[in-house]
């Protein structure tokens, strides 16, 4: 079997059927679908059983106590039989050509990781497209292409050989935010071959309770925990100095910029803002002159400069003005 499509499910009764149907609509039938019900408290668990009863030849359901997204992925992974693992979040969906076209890439390259683009679905608007700045039509590794660490670390816009997980022992942490940063970036380092397909096969549905919109400000501290875990792993594996610049840019993107903006939009006086600032100076004392800073888009470069100067209120005002103009 070529693909194991692992779909963690938790309280997504409204979205699940569309997700599952997008897999069933594939032009490729060399797959199994594993629905991992992570202790849902709505009707999602029963819906999983109903969907599997309609297509028992390709859908399996695993019911488990709630352990978080990462734990549900791990359970699906342990039960998977396919050569490649495909992770789909249960409120998202995929293009009907995805598995067939990725199957062709598998046959051609046998790469450990095949990465691809995605679109966001914001109330039906799917015009926004995201493609990682990686070369197409070639096989590379992290060593030959360190910029791979600058790719968005989402679990779901790439597929992986099952043996990559089994041989490395790398797994997703449970009950945490930013589980992808802790995991995808390690898999990049262990993969012996990576291929990029510059097509958006995945549709990420924007929801109010996603991490980027969650109003629980304090949980943004978990980005610090995620980078502590990641940097420690790279140090223990003798890779930190080799990829210091790329890891620094990754921290700039996700900790210094994205997490700081989420916090300051809610509370420009929150102590997390200064903690993020101190973290960068502690682990990357020369981060202000990182060689990848010049690649930041103009808007992010402005945000970077204002955060560096701790001009939190001014940056918040600029974001609010931008949102107002967009309406």
């Amino acid at each position: 079997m070529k693909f194991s499509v692992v779909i963690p499910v938790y309280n997504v009764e409204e979205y699940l059927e569309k997700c599952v149907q997008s897999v069933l609509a594939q032009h490729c039938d060399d797959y199994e679908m594993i629905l991992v019900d992570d202790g849902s408290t709505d009707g999602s668990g029963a819906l999983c059983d109903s969907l599997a009863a309609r297509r028992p030849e390709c859908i399996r359901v695993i019911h488990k106590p709630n352990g978080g997204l990462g734990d549900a992925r791990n359970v699906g992974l342990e039960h998977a039989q396919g050569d490649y693992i495909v992770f789909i979040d249960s409120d998202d969906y995929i293009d009907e050509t995805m598995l067939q076209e990725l199957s062709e890439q598998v046959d051609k390259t046998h790469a450990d990781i095949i990465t691809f683009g995605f679109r966001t679905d914001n109330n039906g608007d799917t015009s926004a497209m995201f493609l990682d700045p990686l070369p197409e039509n070639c096989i590379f590794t992290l060593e030959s292409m360190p910029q791979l660490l600058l790719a968005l670390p989402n679990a779901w816009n790439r597929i992986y050989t099952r043996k990559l997980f089994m041989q490395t022992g790398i797994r997703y942490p449970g009950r945490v935010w930013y589980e992808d940063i802790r995991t995808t970036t390690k898999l990049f380092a262990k993969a012996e071959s990576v291929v990029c397909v510059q097509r958006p096969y995945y549709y990420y549905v924007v929801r109010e309770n996603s991490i980027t919109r969650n109003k629980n400000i304090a949980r943004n501290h978990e980005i610090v925990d995620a980078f502590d875990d990641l940097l420690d792993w790279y140090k223990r594996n003798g890779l930190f100095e080799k990829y210091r610049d790329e890891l620094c840019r990754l921290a700039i993107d996700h900790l210094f910029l994205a997490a700081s903006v989420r916090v300051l939009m809610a509370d420009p006086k929150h102590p997390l803002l200064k903690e993020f600032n101190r973290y960068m100076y502690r682990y990357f004392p020369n981060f202000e002159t990182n060689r990848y800073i010049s690649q930041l888009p103009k808007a992010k470069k402005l945000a970077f400069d204002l955060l560096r100067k701790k001009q939190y209120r001014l940056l918040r005002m600029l974001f609010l003005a931008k949102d107002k103009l967009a309406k």
Side-chain angles (χ1 to χ4, degrees):
M1 184 181 298
K2 189 166 284 183
F3 299 112
S4 288
V5 181
V6 175
I7 305 178
V9 176
Y10 180 71
N11 290 359
V12 284
E13 187 176 8
E14 179 183 351
Y15 302 90
L16 180 58
E17 184 150 7
K18 181 173 182 176
C19 175
V20 169
Q21 290 301 329
S22 75
V23 180
L24 295 175
Q26 293 299 299
H27 300 162
C28 165
D29 58 7
D30 194 6
Y31 71 87
E32 63 174 352
M33 195 186 326
I34 304 174
L35 304 179
V36 184
D37 171 31
D38 189 36
S40 295
T41 57
D42 65 353
S44 298
L47 181 55
C48 285
D49 292 333
S50 174
L51 292 167
R54 296 181 216 167
R55 295 292 300 273
E57 75 282 3
C58 64
I59 302 178
R60 285 190 285 150
V61 180
I62 300 170
H63 296 283
K64 60 179 287 295
N66 181 258
L69 175 60
D71 185 60
R73 284 180 183 155
N74 294 339
V75 168
L77 178 62
E78 297 300 332
H79 286 79
Q81 299 174 7
D83 294 330
Y84 280 79
I85 305 297
V86 183
F87 291 117
I88 305 177
D89 286 357
S90 50
D91 47 356
D92 299 335
Y93 58 99
I94 59 175
D95 186 273
E96 63 185 9
T97 66
M98 176 172 146
L99 293 187
Q100 178 58 46
E101 295 189 8
L102 291 181
S103 178
E104 293 169 4
Q105 287 292 326
V106 166
D107 293 342
K108 183 165 43 174
T109 67
H110 303 286
D112 282 341
I113 298 176
I114 301 177
T115 184
F116 47 88
F118 66 97
R119 294 182 183 274
T120 56
D121 182 337
N122 196 341
N123 293 319
D125 180 0
T126 59
S127 58
M129 180 173 66
F130 298 85
L131 301 171
D132 287 320
L134 296 168
E136 198 172 24
N137 301 319
C138 69
I139 298 175
F140 53 89
T141 62
L142 180 60
E143 184 172 16
S144 66
M145 189 70 59
Q147 302 94 306
L148 178 59
L149 273 178
L150 309 185
L152 290 170
N154 308 314
W156 35 256
N157 66 313
R158 45 193 54 94
I159 63 173
Y160 321 78
T161 55
R162 181 162 54 93
K163 68 178 176 62
L164 181 61
F165 286 96
M166 297 307 168
Q167 291 177 356
T168 64
I170 294 171
R171 296 293 186 273
Y172 292 90
R175 296 190 184 282
V176 297
W177 281 7
Y178 310 108
E179 71 284 336
D180 292 351
I181 287 177
R182 297 172 182 243
T183 310
T184 305
T185 45
K186 298 172 187 175
L187 293 170
F188 284 161
K190 291 295 186 179
E192 295 181 0
S193 52
V194 182
V195 167
C196 177
V197 179
Q198 293 287 9
R199 286 202 54 187
Y201 294 123
Y202 194 94
Y203 288 84
Y204 171 78
V205 177
V206 179
R207 296 174 61 196
E208 284 300 320
N209 62 345
S210 67
I211 286 178
T212 56
R213 296 187 172 199
N214 196 290
K215 293 180 173 59
N216 187 343
I217 307 174
R219 287 207 68 178
N220 281 280
H221 185 275
E222 293 185 38
I223 191 67
V224 172
D225 302 331
F227 271 94
D228 280 346
D229 174 89
L230 174 61
L231 299 184
D232 179 65
W233 187 89
Y234 266 75
K235 289 174 182 176
R236 284 188 284 107
N237 284 272
L239 298 171
F240 180 77
E241 291 302 328
K242 186 173 186 176
Y243 299 110
R244 176 188 285 270
D245 285 348
E246 290 75 27
L247 291 167
C248 176
R249 171 61 197 272
L250 191 71
I252 288 171
D253 285 344
H254 296 278
L255 187 151
F256 191 66
L257 285 173
S260 291
V261 168
R262 280 195 293 274
V263 172
L264 70 83
M265 291 304 291
D267 180 4
K269 293 183 178 180
H270 200 283
L272 268 177
L273 293 167
K274 291 183 179 179
E275 182 173 352
F276 293 156
N277 189 285
R278 288 193 299 269
Y279 191 92
M280 293 303 301
Y281 281 107
R282 184 185 312 131
Y283 291 98
F284 304 104
N286 299 316
F287 81 96
E288 294 168 312
T289 57
N290 180 275
R291 65 192 179 98
Y292 291 107
I293 291 296
S294 62
Q295 298 179 10
L296 285 172
K298 187 180 295 186
K300 285 191 175 182
K301 183 63 167 62
L302 175 60
F304 177 84
D305 289 337
L306 291 175
L307 285 170
R308 187 169 51 84
K309 297 172 184 175
K310 301 180 182 178
Q311 297 291 319
Y312 304 129
R313 288 185 176 276
L314 176 56
L315 183 55
R316 184 174 186 273
M317 287 173 59
L318 291 174
F319 270 101
L320 289 173
K322 179 183 175 184
D323 289 345
K324 189 173 182 180
L325 288 172
K327 292 179 180 178

